[in-house]
Amino acid sequence: MDLAKAEMSTSSVSKGCFVFKPSAKKRKTLSLEDHFTDGCEGAENSEIRFKLCQDLWDTIKTNTEILQDELNRKILDSLLDFTRKCSSTRQHSDWASQMRASEIPTAALMLGVNVPDHDMTFQSLSDLLQQSVTPHVASVQAKECGALKHLMKRILERLIGTVVAVDDEEEEEAEQTSAQLHKSVNCSLSALCDWYNAKTKKSNTGTPGKKRSSPVRDDPQQPPVVIIFKDLEAFNPRVLQDFILICSRYIERLPLMFIFGIATSPSTIQHMLPHSVSSLLCIELFQSLSCTQHLATVIDKLILTHQFPFNLNSKVMQVLISIFLYHDFSVRNFIKGVQVQRGFCVLDPFFVDAFQICGKGTFCVVLVQLALLEHFHSQPLSVLCCKKKEALLNVTQLSQRDLEQIRQLPSFKRYVEKQEAQEQVNLFTDDTHLKEVCQKLIKNLHKYHKNYYPVLRCLHVLMSSLPRYPLGKQVRELHLICLEKNVSENEDYHSAMKLLKMLAKDQLIVLLQRCAEILQPVKSKRMKSALVQLEDLLVKFKQLDTVAAETPPVEDSITSPVKDLQKKTDLFQLQKTLLEMNESRRSKKLSPFEVLRNEALEFIDSLVKSHLSPPESQTLYEVCYFSSSATVRRHLNATPRISIQAALTNPYYYLQNDSLKTEDGTVSNAAPDICIAYKLHLECGRLINLYDWLEAYAIVVSAAEGKNPDSDNFGRVEEVKHARFIQAVSELEFLGFIKSTKQKTDHVARLTWGGC
């Protein structure tokens, strides 16, 4: 603004404070596409890659939600039937005959130790209950119910939908808060009973002038009141006991039902509740699928399919599975890991608010989502990681730079080495010819995936029927073996094929029929041809029974070597007879079943050798396989203490403030208080004198404020500095760098050896 205009705008009779809003343009908010293209390798096709990410993310997100519903459907349907049965029993005359009047129907839901998945299950359960059973559902967690009054308050607020007053002070505050909305309600179950009676009476009021044909207790319009305890083990046992005792007094007036979410064992109820309290509950146990069964389903539906063009390297898969099996057992976190491996996390709101919600989830998942966008973000050739039609179209739009990157791929170099000399020259010099060849290679890559997964499932069906599971019990174990090397060259594979030759006819027929069911829906020429051959083999097996029934059994000849052993003979004659028996066994003619069995196993072996080669053997596999296992391991195997020490030692790396730039090993006096306190505590021994620490901190802060070192006020401990120091020390104690000690009252003990 011009100075003259400023003076005119501020001219006034009275003195005052004038505020001028900056005339600069509003700060532009970066979109998801801007975040994706910022620093992106190969910016010329970044928009296409972003759109591919978006489309694929929408597809996998939809499939994930459907899969989760399928996994929880059985247990949720059982719980819904239980609530309906209890509600119907209470409303009819057989209530007293099936359970005592003081018993509260309770469902003990065993969900396993995969705690991060429980919220999603309870949310689905609440939605289904409200849709088909009762609108009165309240879910509570232990962290918000430390005392009985808090538990009662949370339940009443979520059922009634109004402010609940616990004591006189809260009642006054509640009246002020809800003056314009609702009247405050006292925190008691009698208030809930009054509300429920008014609610059901209003719902049961029929058409004016029409008499009711049945009493109120027979009316289905009296839905139960369901209370869900999400994490039963974390609740205070005394609070839970008192609440159950109170509820048992109101069970005749209020149709209460409990659902206990249990992560460990059903015996938790007996450990938390004495018999006098647990006898007031009519408990029925519900067991959900184990986390390993969930994992097997997730891998089967989301990974072992050619529907998604992007795939995971064996080492990356192994890291994700290890994290699942040895850390959190969370299917939800595993799915997020798979999603971010495929490069879709940038489009999920979870990625945008990653740091804001990292306290609610697993922090390593946040790191995966922030780190493993790398494939689509840093790999320009990921533009070919899409469905076949799109990929063939994108090949024609590749730039000169993209074609040079294709020529540098290891798999493409191996392909070129196998070609004739003139073809090699054309591939390295003629861009048009290279695009034509790339289209053919992309088609072959999609055919490979289309044939790989059906044959993998067929082989797993055969191998999982063998004792000790030579190639793994789960299909994911066989998949990892096939990703690493040719499974046909594996010693366990050869031993497994020998075991298959020992199967009975009925067992082998059943396994071959299951293989035919796997190949049936596959739309591939090779798989259709394989299905025809497999069906022919099954027909031949069935014809064996007909031939065996028509052919009479042939009796053994009396003059056989076995009969000769029954006669008296000398040692020479015995040796001669045994040699004849051995020769007869070697030259024994195979039965029709054995010939057909060998033919079937040879057919399976040919399928394995043709279609289960590792992905590294396919040309251009790099465009759709993420293989940076080192990046995965570095981000997933988090080291929080080292990260915190690095942040406290070098705050500029995180804050990006030029005033914080310093030489190595030093901290600017303008750094945050916790960084200054941390640096000073590194200069102390095992025990730190708090007063000396405070004085050193005050001197550093005074220098940051620009005070004269020779003045009397320099380094003086003022109230504000004292408070800032106390806060910094408290934060260091919370992070685990120091702790209070009983050796000296004015000292703290240091818990670290030094910097990072």
Side-chain angles (χ1 to χ4, degrees):
M1 181 180 290
D2 191 14
L3 182 60
K5 293 182 179 180
E7 291 178 356
M8 291 177 62
S9 61
T10 57
S11 60
S12 176
V13 177
S14 61
K15 295 182 179 180
C17 180
F18 301 92
V19 178
F20 298 95
K21 295 183 179 180
S23 59
K25 295 182 180 179
K26 293 182 179 180
R27 185 177 180 182
K28 183 180 179 181
T29 303
L30 295 178
S31 62
L32 292 177
E33 186 174 358
D34 295 330
H35 283 291
F36 185 90
T37 57
D38 186 19
C40 183
E41 292 289 338
E44 59 272 7
N45 58 11
S46 59
E47 295 181 0
I48 300 176
R49 286 151 54 192
F50 176 79
K51 187 178 183 302
L52 291 176
C53 287
Q54 193 173 21
D55 295 341
L56 291 172
W57 167 251
D58 292 339
T59 303
I60 195 173
K61 188 174 182 180
T62 302
N63 291 354
T64 300
E65 294 172 354
I66 295 174
L67 176 60
Q68 289 297 324
D69 291 340
E70 292 177 354
L71 291 175
N72 296 325
R73 186 176 302 279
K74 185 176 181 180
I75 185 69
L76 293 180
D77 289 345
S78 301
L79 283 169
L80 290 178
D81 293 340
F82 172 75
T83 54
R84 292 192 189 99
K85 180 185 67 176
C86 294
S87 178
S88 176
T89 303
R90 176 180 175 84
Q91 292 168 5
H92 294 80
S93 58
D94 56 349
W95 165 264
S97 63
Q98 294 198 14
M99 59 179 70
R100 296 198 310 270
S102 60
E103 284 185 344
I104 303 174
T106 304
L109 180 57
M110 300 297 303
L111 293 174
V113 295
N114 49 328
V115 178
D117 297 333
H118 294 182
D119 286 339
M120 189 163 32
T121 303
F122 284 120
Q123 184 61 46
S124 300
L125 176 60
S126 299
D127 295 340
L128 290 174
L129 286 173
Q130 291 176 345
Q131 292 172 6
S132 59
V133 180
T134 174
H136 313 310
V137 180
S139 300
V140 290
Q141 288 181 292
K143 63 182 180 180
E144 57 186 7
C145 306
L148 178 61
K149 62 179 182 180
H150 297 145
L151 175 59
M152 297 281 288
K153 180 179 180 180
R154 296 292 181 271
I155 291 175
L156 266 66
E157 285 179 345
R158 285 162 192 178
L159 288 174
I160 300 176
T162 186
V163 179
V164 177
V166 176
D167 49 32
D168 295 338
E169 295 181 359
E170 292 191 5
E171 185 175 2
E172 295 178 0
E173 183 180 354
E175 290 178 355
Q176 296 175 1
T177 304
S178 60
Q180 299 178 353
L181 299 176
H182 302 281
K183 185 179 179 181
S184 61
V185 178
N186 291 327
C187 187
S188 64
L189 279 184
S190 60
L192 182 61
C193 290
D194 296 338
W195 170 84
Y196 181 80
N197 291 332
K199 197 80 172 176
T200 54
K201 183 178 179 180
K202 182 179 179 181
S203 301
N204 292 333
T205 303
T207 306
K210 185 177 181 180
K211 295 183 180 181
R212 297 177 54 85
S213 59
S214 60
V216 175
R217 63 181 177 87
D218 292 335
D219 199 316
Q221 297 299 326
Q222 284 191 321
V225 178
V226 181
I227 302 174
I228 301 175
F229 299 84
K230 291 184 177 181
D231 46 352
L232 185 71
E233 291 93 340
F235 275 86
N236 187 334
R238 189 61 189 173
V239 172
L240 200 60
Q241 294 170 24
D242 294 341
F243 180 74
I244 294 174
L245 289 172
I246 295 173
C247 290
S248 65
R249 305 291 180 89
Y250 290 86
I251 189 63
E252 295 182 358
R253 299 171 53 191
L254 194 65
L256 288 169
M257 292 181 62
F258 294 159
I259 296 179
F260 291 161
I262 303 175
T264 54
S265 171
S267 61
T268 302
I269 300 177
Q270 281 71 31
H271 294 158
M272 296 183 66
L273 305 177
H275 182 266
S276 59
V277 178
S278 61
S279 61
L280 300 175
L281 304 176
C282 180
I283 303 175
E284 186 169 337
L285 186 64
F286 296 87
Q287 180 72 51
S288 66
L289 290 176
S290 65
C291 54
T292 53
Q293 290 174 314
H294 276 244
L295 176 66
T297 307
V298 168
I299 292 178
D300 184 58
K301 300 295 184 181
L302 296 182
I303 295 180
L304 302 182
T305 173
H306 67 277
Q307 181 181 2
F308 302 109
F310 193 82
N311 296 274
L312 305 178
N313 179 273
S314 61
K315 294 182 179 179
V316 177
M317 274 282 297
Q318 188 61 55
V319 170
L320 280 177
I321 294 175
S322 299
I323 291 287
F324 177 88
L325 294 178
Y326 301 113
H327 287 77
D328 60 0
F329 293 97
S330 171
V331 175
R332 183 181 183 183
N333 291 343
F334 179 81
I335 291 174
K336 286 184 177 293
V338 173
Q339 290 169 346
V340 298
Q341 295 291 350
R342 288 177 166 152
F344 310 141
C345 61
V346 71
L347 307 168
D348 191 37
F350 189 92
F351 173 78
V352 179
D353 299 327
F355 289 106
Q356 282 77 5
I357 65 173
C358 63
K360 299 180 181 178
T362 305
F363 187 68
C364 67
V365 177
V366 179
L367 295 178
V368 172
Q369 289 191 315
L370 294 176
L372 297 185
L373 185 61
E374 192 169 346
H375 182 76
F376 275 94
H377 187 262
S378 61
Q379 173 58 275
L381 296 179
S382 61
V383 69
L384 304 179
C385 182
C386 53
K387 293 184 178 180
K388 185 172 69 173
K389 291 184 179 179
E390 291 182 87
L392 296 178
L393 178 61
N394 292 340
V395 167
T396 60
Q397 300 175 357
L398 291 176
S399 63
Q400 178 68 31
R401 181 181 177 183
D402 295 334
L403 295 176
E404 290 300 326
Q405 289 184 344
I406 289 179
R407 292 185 175 108
Q408 297 301 320
L409 293 177
S411 63
F412 186 78
K413 289 182 178 180
R414 291 195 298 268
Y415 171 79
V416 173
E417 291 174 355
K418 299 177 182 178
Q419 306 303 315
E420 297 179 355
Q422 184 60 39
E423 179 66 14
Q424 293 180 4
V425 174
N426 293 336
L427 289 173
F428 279 108
T429 58
D430 190 349
D431 293 344
T432 303
H433 180 68
L434 176 60
K435 290 181 180 181
E436 294 176 356
V437 173
C438 286
Q439 287 182 330
K440 183 182 70 173
L441 296 176
I442 289 294
K443 290 180 181 179
N444 294 338
L445 189 60
H446 282 267
K447 289 180 182 178
Y448 164 78
H449 289 128
K450 206 168 187 178
N451 298 327
Y452 173 87
Y453 295 113
V455 176
L456 177 73
R457 296 179 192 277
C458 291
L459 182 61
H460 174 255
V461 165
L462 295 171
M463 297 303 172
S464 60
S465 64
L466 300 178
R468 297 186 179 181
Y469 310 106
L471 291 179
K473 183 177 181 180
Q474 301 290 342
V475 65
R476 67 171 184 267
E477 298 172 326
L478 178 60
H479 178 55
L480 290 175
I481 295 175
C482 295
L483 288 178
E484 292 176 356
K485 61 180 180 180
N486 280 315
V487 66
S488 58
E489 300 176 359
N490 195 316
E491 295 182 1
D492 294 332
Y493 172 79
H494 294 293
S495 61
M497 294 301 290
K498 293 179 181 178
L499 290 175
L500 288 175
K501 293 181 179 180
M502 302 174 64
L503 290 177
K505 181 174 63 176
D506 295 339
Q507 294 175 321
L508 186 59
I509 290 176
V510 171
L511 295 177
L512 293 178
Q513 287 175 344
R514 291 176 60 186
C515 292
E517 293 174 359
I518 293 173
L519 299 178
Q520 184 72 36
V522 182
K523 297 180 180 180
S524 171
K525 292 182 179 180
R526 293 190 178 184
M527 292 300 102
K528 289 181 179 179
S529 175
L531 177 62
V532 172
Q533 298 181 49
L534 191 56
E535 290 176 345
D536 291 341
L537 290 172
L538 289 172
V539 171
K540 292 179 181 179
F541 274 112
K542 292 179 181 179
Q543 291 175 350
L544 288 177
D545 297 333
T546 307
V547 175
E550 295 176 354
T551 304
V554 180
E555 296 184 0
D556 294 336
S557 175
I558 299 177
T559 60
S560 64
V562 179
K563 297 295 183 180
D564 293 340
L565 288 176
Q566 298 176 359
K567 301 177 182 180
K568 292 183 179 181
T569 181
D570 54 8
L571 184 60
F572 175 77
Q573 189 66 29
L574 176 62
Q575 184 179 7
K576 181 180 178 182
T577 305
L578 291 175
L579 289 174
E580 291 177 356
M581 290 175 61
N582 190 22
E583 291 294 333
S584 63
R585 287 177 180 175
R586 291 182 180 179
S587 60
K588 181 181 178 181
K589 187 178 181 180
L590 295 177
S591 65
F593 165 68
E594 292 173 335
V595 173
L596 194 56
R597 180 181 59 191
N598 292 341
E599 182 182 351
L601 295 180
E602 288 176 0
F603 167 71
I604 296 295
D605 184 60
S606 64
L607 285 180
V608 170
K609 292 179 179 179
S610 301
H611 303 296
L612 289 189
S613 56
E616 283 79 1
S617 63
Q618 304 299 313
T619 310
L620 300 185
Y621 80 95
E622 293 93 342
V623 303
C624 59
Y625 274 86
F626 184 80
S627 57
S628 181
S629 60
T631 305
V632 179
R633 191 176 292 107
R634 182 173 67 252
H635 288 286
L636 289 182
N637 297 335
T639 53
R641 178 171 290 277
I642 294 178
S643 301
I644 293 172
Q645 287 177 332
L648 296 177
T649 304
N650 186 17
Y652 170 76
Y653 181 76
Y654 292 91
L655 300 180
Q656 295 295 313
N657 188 346
D658 293 336
S659 63
L660 301 179
K661 281 187 177 181
T662 58
E663 299 178 358
D664 294 338
T666 62
V667 175
S668 171
N669 53 13
D673 295 334
I674 187 174
C675 298
I676 297 174
Y678 173 78
K679 179 61 178 177
L680 293 174
H681 110 286
L682 294 178
E683 301 173 359
C684 302
R686 190 179 66 86
L687 294 178
I688 305 174
N689 187 305
L690 284 172
Y691 185 75
D692 295 341
W693 194 5
L694 172 60
E695 285 190 332
Y697 168 81
I699 293 174
V700 175
V701 173
S702 297
E705 294 174 352
K707 293 183 179 180
N708 186 5
D710 298 331
S711 64
D712 296 336
N713 294 331
F714 188 82
R716 177 178 295 181
V717 179
E718 301 172 353
E719 292 183 358
V720 176
K721 294 180 183 178
H722 194 184
R724 289 166 56 187
F725 174 76
I726 292 174
Q727 182 180 5
V729 172
S730 300
E731 291 172 350
L732 289 176
E733 184 178 7
F734 175 77
L735 294 174
F737 290 100
I738 59 174
K739 72 172 184 177
S740 58
T741 177
K742 296 181 180 179
Q743 295 182 8
K744 293 183 179 180
T745 56
D746 58 344
H747 284 64
V748 292
R750 179 178 168 185
L751 300 178
T752 57
W753 290 99
C756 58

